[in-house]
């Protein structure tokens, strides 16, 4: 099966005898823990679950808050959240695995019956998965949010003027990205959801991972969304999302333990993906220039280049290459950032709309590299 063990298990956590020994080994963790607590204490953070890995092993796991405001039900490492666009990392990985198995050609043109654009040729599967369609960013997401089907929105893309030629620029997509689903299903004879289950959830033992809102609600512990919320009234929201009609783009649900294991799968060839698949995922197929400019300003020059691979973002933090993706749905946030060279990763999930958890990964990077004071939380101003 493409060089991947059928039932490989991630390596166990570091087993230092006590917290002092762990902090001695990784001195930045003590301050990182204090910063996690600072974020959790914001009156806009309902629940949060975050972790840090070093050398491919979890060295810090932090959970705080409630699954739904006012219930007292605690967030645990097994609490399930919506992963939103972090789903794209699973879809890109699945595509690379199927290519290695000889079941999918990423260079093949997407059939016009699946997706038609105004370009002079059909986009390839790889161009779809790396956001090189030339469409305006997030084209026809508004139709999805208005309750129209993914098929309807995808058909409407035929009338949209392109911003650049196919393969000529990076523009982030959800509707166009979902065109990979029927292509994968035609190539394999299997449903996209079933392939994600068999190739990733089951193979790598992600016991809480699932697809769609109904699966989310069946979890023993699941986080309700809180949109535009602060701790004045207990008003958890509805987890239903129109993006469930685009499962390959934004449909997956994960717990913190699942996300830790997903980072380990990406980091470790022995228990995870083959080197060929990991190289396929992390090749920078297109520079994301607007993101480079935005991140350079936001992070004061620490991020010098950004690009998109196969369902993954690629950041240059100083002389370090980071692989990352984030996800956001109303009332939910998700983040994964890892450094292949060292086995470091930061992963996080939360169930409220707030800027504080988004500041944690650059905080951790500052603290572990010494590139800055890690004071990103202090700079946040929210009404």
């Amino acid at each position: 099966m493409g060089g991947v063990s059928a039932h490989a298990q991630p390596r166990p956590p570091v087993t230092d005898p006590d917290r002092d020994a762990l902090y001695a080994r990784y001195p930045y963790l003590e301050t990182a823990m204090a910063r996690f607590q600072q974020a959790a204490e914001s009156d806009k953070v309902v629940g949060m679950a975050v972790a840090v890995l070093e050398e491919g092993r979890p060295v810090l796991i932090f959970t705080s808050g409630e699954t739904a405001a006012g219930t007292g039900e605690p967030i645990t490492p097994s609490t399930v959240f919506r992963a939103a666009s972090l789903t794209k990392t699973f879809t890109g990985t699945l595509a690379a695995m199927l290519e290695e198995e000889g079941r999918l050609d990423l260079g093949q043109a997407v059939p016009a019956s699946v997706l038609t654009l105004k370009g002079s040729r059909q986009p390839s599967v790889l161009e779809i998965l790396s956001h090189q369609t030339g469409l305006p960013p997030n084209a026809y997401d508004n139709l999805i949010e208005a309750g129209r089907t993914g098929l309807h929105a995808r058909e409407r893309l035929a009338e949209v003027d392109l911003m650049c030629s196919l393969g000529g620029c990076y523009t982030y997509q959800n509707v166009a990205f979902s065109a990979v689903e029927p292509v994968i299903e035609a190539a394999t004879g299997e449903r996209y959801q079933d392939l994600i289950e068999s190739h990733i959830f089951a193979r790598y033992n992600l016991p809480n991972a699932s697809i769609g809102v109904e699966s989310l609600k069946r979890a023993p512990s699941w986080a309700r969304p809180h949109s535009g919320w602060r701790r004045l009234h207990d008003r958890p929201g509805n987890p239903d999302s129109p993006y469930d009609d685009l499962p390959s783009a934004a449909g997956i649900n994960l717990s913190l333990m699942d996300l830790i294991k997903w980072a380990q799968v990406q980091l470790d060839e022995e228990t995870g993906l083959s080197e060929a698949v990991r190289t396929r995922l992390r090749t920078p197929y297109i520079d994301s220039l607007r993101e480079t400019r935005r991140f350079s300003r936001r992070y004061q020059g620490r991020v010098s280049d950004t690009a998109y691979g196969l369902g993954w973002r690629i950041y240059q933090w100083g002389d370090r290459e980071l692989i990352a993706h984030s996800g956001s749905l109303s009332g939910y946030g998700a983040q994964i950032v890892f450094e292949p060279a060292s086995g470091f990763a930061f992963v996080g999930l939360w169930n409220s709309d707030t800027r504080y958890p988004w500041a944690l990964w650059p905080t951790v990077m500052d603290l572990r590299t010494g590139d800055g004071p890690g004071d990103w939380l202090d700079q946040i101003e929210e009404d």
Side-chain angles (χ1 to χ4, degrees), residues 81-84 87 90-91 192 196 201 209-212 247 250-254:
F81 298 73
R82 308 219 70 170
T87 297
F90 288 79
T91 302
Y192 164 83
I196 288 288
F201 295 170
S210 63
I211 299 178
I252 285 178
N253 314 306
L254 298 171

Side-chain angles (χ1 to χ4, degrees), residues 16-322:
D16 291 282
D18 54 40
R19 186 176 66 178
D20 291 341
L22 192 61
Y23 287 169
R25 186 171 179 177
Y26 304 104
Y28 77 92
L29 291 179
E30 186 169 9
T31 305
M33 175 68 87
R35 289 301 192 179
F36 293 171
Q37 188 64 48
Q38 178 185 351
E41 290 172 354
S42 164
D43 65 2
K44 289 194 173 184
V45 175
V46 180
M48 186 175 76
V50 298
V52 176
L53 287 72
E54 288 286 2
E55 300 177 72
R57 297 177 172 89
V59 294
L60 177 56
I61 294 176
F62 177 93
T63 62
S64 179
E66 301 170 290
T67 61
T71 65
E73 181 184 352
I75 298 290
T76 75
S78 297
T79 299
V80 182
F81 298 73
R82 308 219 70 170
S85 284
L86 201 147
T87 297
K88 293 181 176 69
T89 69
F90 288 79
T91 302
T93 301
L94 173 64
M97 294 169 75
L98 293 173
E99 180 185 52
E100 187 175 51
E101 294 171 8
R103 302 175 69 190
L104 181 66
D105 178 5
L106 297 185
Q108 76 178 78
V110 174
S113 59
V114 171
L115 177 68
T116 299
L117 301 178
K118 282 191 171 182
S120 58
R121 60 176 176 83
Q122 285 296 107
S124 68
V125 177
L126 189 147
E127 286 171 330
I128 291 291
L129 291 172
S130 54
H131 303 292
Q132 298 185 69
T133 61
L135 289 162
N138 298 90
Y140 279 145
D141 279 5
N142 60 324
L143 292 180
I144 299 298
E145 291 166 4
R148 305 306 295 267
T149 67
L151 177 60
H152 172 82
R154 203 162 60 234
E155 290 174 343
R156 289 282 302 276
L157 292 176
E159 63 196 44
V160 178
D161 292 333
L162 303 186
M163 295 179 60
C164 66
S165 61
L166 284 170
C169 65
Y170 163 85
T171 59
Y172 189 81
Q173 305 297 321
N174 287 304
V175 175
F177 190 94
S178 72
V180 73
E181 294 166 32
V183 174
I184 286 176
E185 291 174 350
T188 64
E190 297 182 57
R191 295 173 65 243
Y192 164 83
Q193 290 92 329
D194 294 338
L195 287 163
I196 288 288
E197 289 277 354
S198 64
H199 276 61
I200 297 177
F201 295 170
R203 181 175 296 182
Y204 298 116
N205 189 24
L206 276 62
N208 305 303
S210 63
I211 299 178
V213 70
E214 294 307 317
S215 295
L216 173 75
K217 293 176 180 178
R218 286 194 295 268
S221 173
W222 62 278
R224 282 67 168 171
H226 299 76
S227 181
W229 187 90
R230 64 187 307 157
R231 196 173 288 277
L232 298 175
H233 305 285
D234 295 337
R235 294 177 181 171
N238 186 337
D240 292 354
S241 170
Y243 285 97
D244 274 347
D245 207 46
L246 307 178
S248 62
I252 285 178
N253 314 306
L254 298 171
S255 70
L256 181 63
M257 296 311 297
D258 296 323
L259 200 46
I260 289 171
K261 289 184 178 182
W262 187 229
Q264 291 176 314
V265 167
Q266 296 292 330
L267 285 167
D268 192 342
E269 185 176 4
E270 292 182 10
T271 60
L273 304 171
S274 71
E275 183 62 29
V277 167
R278 292 189 295 163
T279 298
R280 191 59 146 150
L281 298 174
R282 301 170 193 175
T283 298
Y285 296 109
I286 188 74
D287 292 334
S288 49
L289 299 178
R290 290 185 179 180
E291 188 176 43
T292 300
R293 291 191 290 269
R294 185 173 72 252
F295 271 30
S296 182
R297 290 192 300 269
R298 179 182 300 173
Y299 301 125
Q300 301 172 5
R302 290 169 178 75
V303 177
S304 58
D305 291 292
T306 66
Y308 207 92
L310 201 69
W312 286 94
R313 299 185 184 278
I314 303 161
Y315 300 152
Q316 195 69 30
W317 178 291
D319 60 356
R320 300 168 183 266
E321 183 180 77
L322 304 178

